[in-house]
Amino acid sequence: DVKVTQSSRYLVKRTGEKVFLECVQDMDHENMFWYRQDPGLGLRLIYFSYDVKMKEKGDIPEGYSVSREKKERFSLILESASTNQTSMYLCASRSFTRGDNEQFFGPGTRLTVL
Amino acid sequence: AQRVTQPEKLLSVFKGAPVELKCNYSYSGSPELFWYVQYSRQRLQLLLRHISRESIKGFTADLNKGETSFHLKKPFAQEEDSAMYYCAFGGSNYQLIWGAGTKLIIKP
């Protein structure tokens, strides 16, 4: 059973703070993803990673960066948090070797920036 | 451009009534289509995919390439079906393209 975990369920930060969101998966998946989930907008891809130390920008990368130093861990960094980054953040992973596009999700981190 | 459209943001039906959640896609190739569901306070999870052609929790979805649709259907809605539903398709670059989601409310 695939497990994707995220470091926090709820997080409250102040404008200008540097924020780290961590995601860990235990199924040796090559691909990992970070999404924002906002009402009426669905899931928007922030960044994804094909494999260790590889990263690609998604649809809304501005204001974010990522790090993938180990295969199981994918971190999302908000360099200087702003109120418009208040959102639900979802991490997902996918097996490249399995050959299909199914993604497995973490429980999400609800970030509030004050 | 590759796109998934879920025209209804909110769908409210009575328990026992049929449910149809609409999904249309724009893609010239052979898509791999999914329905994901998110129950209250739970993680997003796969409900079904068109390749498997199976019925999960009474839901089915048929790929109609002529209409480029993948509507989700259930003949008799149950209260526990209340959730957020997302349609998505896998394109050529290992990403999923997501619809905006439909919130389904089943009234008692």
Side-chain angles (χ1 to χ4, degrees):
Chain A
D1 194 26
V2 177
K3 276 287 189 218
V4 182
T5 58
Q6 295 183 229
S7 50
S8 306
R9 290 301 301 271
Y10 300 94
L11 209 52
V12 180
K13 295 292 181 180
R14 297 208 174 271
T15 301
E17 281 192 81
K18 191 168 186 176
V19 182
F20 294 87
L21 303 182
E22 303 284 339
C23 175
V24 177
Q25 49 92 8
D26 66 358
M27 286 300 290
D28 203 37
H29 283 177
E30 293 82 7
N31 306 154
M32 296 187 75
F33 307 82
W34 275 107
Y35 293 95
R36 274 186 66 151
Q37 183 183 30
D38 298 289
L41 298 177
L43 274 68
R44 292 182 292 167
L45 183 64
I46 304 171
Y47 268 96
F48 63 100
S49 170
Y50 285 120
D51 212 328
V52 178
K53 296 192 185 296
M54 298 175 69
K55 57 186 179 184
E56 295 283 341
K57 292 180 179 179
D59 300 317
I60 52 165
E62 296 78 19
Y64 304 94
S65 62
V66 291
S67 172
R68 183 110 182 260
E69 295 297 316
K70 293 185 177 181
K71 192 173 187 179
E72 67 271 19
R73 188 179 298 269
F74 192 34
S75 302
L76 179 69
I77 303 147
L78 286 66
E79 297 290 343
S80 177
S82 62
T83 54
N84 62 12
Q85 293 178 308
T86 291
S87 186
M88 174 69 88
Y89 290 87
L90 301 182
C91 174
S93 72
R94 169 191 174 267
S95 169
F96 175 79
T97 52
R98 203 173 85 163
D100 68 32
N101 281 308
E102 181 181 356
Q103 292 183 13
F104 297 85
F105 283 84
T109 296
R110 184 165 293 282
L111 172 66
T112 302
V113 183
L114 303 175
Chain B
Q2 300 172 2
R3 188 182 299 128
V4 175
T5 303
Q6 292 180 252
E8 303 129 335
K9 287 188 176 180
L10 175 67
L11 185 63
S12 181
V13 302
F14 284 102
K15 177 183 171 182
V19 172
E20 183 180 48
L21 298 162
K22 291 185 169 51
C23 172
N24 290 89
Y25 65 91
S26 57
Y27 183 63
S28 57
S30 294
E32 185 181 5
L33 285 152
F34 302 86
W35 275 100
Y36 276 78
V37 61
Q38 189 173 31
Y39 301 103
S40 180
R41 295 189 177 86
Q42 294 188 29
R43 68 182 66 200
L44 197 59
Q45 58 188 286
L46 179 67
L47 179 62
L48 54 81
R49 67 177 88 197
H50 88 277
I51 290 175
S52 61
R53 300 188 62 81
E54 57 189 341
S55 172
I56 305 293
K57 300 186 179 184
F59 284 98
T60 58
D62 290 319
L63 174 60
N64 185 323
K65 289 188 178 180
E67 295 182 359
T68 59
S69 68
F70 188 56
H71 303 328
L72 184 69
K73 299 178 183 179
K74 184 169 183 177
F76 306 104
Q78 298 172 295
E79 288 186 67
E80 55 263 34
D81 296 329
S82 293
M84 196 74 188
Y85 291 80
Y86 292 95
C87 181
F89 87 82
S92 57
N93 61 354
Y94 314 119
Q95 297 178 44
L96 287 179
I97 310 298
W98 296 86
T102 298
K103 185 172 184 177
L104 178 62
I105 296 174
I106 307 302
K107 298 179 285 189

